[in-house]
């Protein structure tokens, strides 16, 4: 065959492999140069911005991350939020403004829960991924921008440490709790209007981090005493259902 291409019966040319590869490369470059996929630090969104926020497995660390999420919501009004966290912490985020979905990271053998998470998240083009777990698979998600948690070499409060992900270490945002109308109604049922309430969370995921019960009792009595910080206050103990035996 002398010609660089050969006409077949329906008239389409059969091109050499080099020509096919050249066209393929051009197509790939064309996809990345489309306006909808171009990366720009400042642009006007004609669609809802999508943010993936990967928080912690445990409730305490997840609470400390809520200020960071609140900052993102205020900085990007109207954004659609997806939160990935442990099942125990999921309820903290159910009333988040703009919440699109929650991905509960239930631990699996061989860390397969991260592969499941990646499968659920890879189909979305994210405008911003904020990963407080620094999971390797989040680096493989399609995103315009990514911010990953890096453990600090200095000794500092966890709130400051996680705030450095967005450069807010000097002024870390305070934790935030979002409440739905159902949440508020349940809270009013559990703790109706009346004297002040002393709230105590006496449990921890590791026994060595917990105080003895009698010490909590002594502290509560001091606080609600006539000369205490909250004289005559009621006492409420908080914890998860599986922590009741403690």
């Amino acid at each position: 065959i002398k010609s660089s291409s050969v006409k077949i019966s329906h008239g389409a040319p059969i091109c050499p492999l080099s020509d096919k590869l050249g066209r393929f490369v051009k197509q790939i470059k064309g996809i990345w140069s489309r306006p909808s996929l171009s990366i720009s630090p400042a642009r006007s969104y004609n669609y809802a911005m999508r943010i993936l926020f990967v928080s912690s497995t445990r409730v305490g660390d997840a609470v400390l991350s809520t200020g960071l999420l609140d900052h993102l919501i205020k900085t990007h009004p109207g954004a659609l939020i997806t939160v990935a966290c442990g099942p125990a912490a999921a309820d903290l985020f159910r009333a988040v403004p703009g919440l699109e979905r929650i991905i509960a990271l239930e631990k699996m053998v061989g860390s397969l829960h991260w592969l499941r998470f990646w499968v659920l998240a890879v189909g979305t083009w994210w405008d911003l991924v904020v990963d407080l777990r620094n999971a390797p698979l989040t680096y493989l998600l399609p995103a315009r921008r990514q911010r990953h948690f890096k453990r600090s070499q200095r000794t500092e409060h966890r709130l400051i440490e996680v705030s450095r992900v967005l450069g807010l270490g000097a002024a870390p945002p305070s934790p935030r709790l979002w409440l739905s109308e159902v949440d508020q109604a349940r809270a009013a049922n559990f703790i109706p209007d009346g004297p002040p309430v002393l709230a105590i969370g006496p449990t921890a995921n590791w026994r060595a981090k917990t105080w003895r019960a009698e010490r909590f009792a002594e502290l509560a009595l001091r606080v609600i005493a006539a000369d205490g910080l909250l004289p005559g206050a009621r006492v409420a103990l908080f914890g998860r259902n599986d922590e009741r035996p403690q």
Side-chain angles (χ1 to χ4, degrees):
I1 302 176
K2 296 182 179 179
S3 175
S4 60
S5 63
V6 177
K7 298 288 185 178
I8 57 177
S9 58
H10 52 73
I14 300 178
C15 301
L17 181 59
S18 60
D19 291 346
K20 291 183 178 179
L21 288 176
R23 287 208 304 268
F24 176 75
V25 171
K26 289 181 180 180
Q27 289 173 357
I28 295 298
K29 289 182 177 179
I31 291 175
W32 285 100
S33 62
R34 292 176 185 174
S36 61
L37 295 182
S38 61
I39 301 175
S40 174
R43 66 185 179 90
S44 174
Y45 288 93
N46 295 321
Y47 62 94
M49 180 180 184
R50 279 187 160 82
I51 298 176
L52 174 61
F53 188 76
V54 184
S55 187
S56 304
T57 299
R58 304 191 182 280
V59 175
D61 288 337
V63 168
L64 294 178
S65 75
T66 56
L68 209 59
L69 180 56
D70 186 50
H71 172 81
L72 290 172
I73 293 170
K74 292 177 179 177
T75 305
H76 306 287
L80 296 178
I81 308 295
T82 293
V83 177
C85 62
D91 285 341
L92 289 171
F93 302 100
R94 295 198 186 280
V96 165
L99 181 68
E100 190 169 29
R101 62 173 171 166
I102 294 176
I103 301 176
L105 299 174
E106 298 188 37
K107 287 192 175 182
M108 302 171 67
V109 177
S111 296
L112 289 177
H113 53 283
W114 284 113
L115 180 59
R116 173 181 172 273
F117 158 76
W118 182 82
V119 170
L120 292 173
V122 72
T124 300
W125 179 269
W126 303 100
D127 293 277
L128 176 61
V129 172
V130 177
D131 180 12
L132 302 183
R133 303 290 301 279
N134 199 28
L137 285 179
T138 58
Y139 288 88
L140 302 180
L141 294 176
R144 299 179 190 281
R145 291 180 294 156
Q146 295 206 22
R147 299 291 183 268
H148 295 263
F149 172 78
K150 303 293 184 182
R151 189 165 296 281
S152 176
Q153 299 298 319
R154 68 190 79 177
T155 301
E156 58 187 3
H157 194 282
R158 175 74 176 181
L159 182 62
I160 299 175
E161 195 175 35
V162 298
S163 296
R164 293 190 185 282
V165 174
L166 295 181
L168 302 174
S174 299
R176 167 71 188 273
L177 182 63
W178 298 275
L179 298 175
S180 65
E181 292 183 1
V182 174
D183 295 329
Q184 295 181 39
R186 291 183 64 190
N189 182 54
F190 281 122
I191 307 176
D193 291 338
V197 177
L198 170 61
I200 298 179
T203 61
N205 64 298
W206 185 32
R207 188 174 182 82
K209 294 167 63 177
T210 60
W211 242 12
R212 293 202 301 267
E214 56 268 25
R215 291 186 177 178
F216 277 110
E218 180 184 354
L219 174 63
L221 291 174
R222 288 186 182 182
V223 173
I224 67 175
D227 59 346
L229 294 174
L230 295 173
R234 295 169 290 176
V235 179
L237 299 180
F238 290 88
R240 300 199 316 266
N241 287 334
D242 60 348
E243 294 175 333
R244 287 184 178 276
Q246 299 184 40

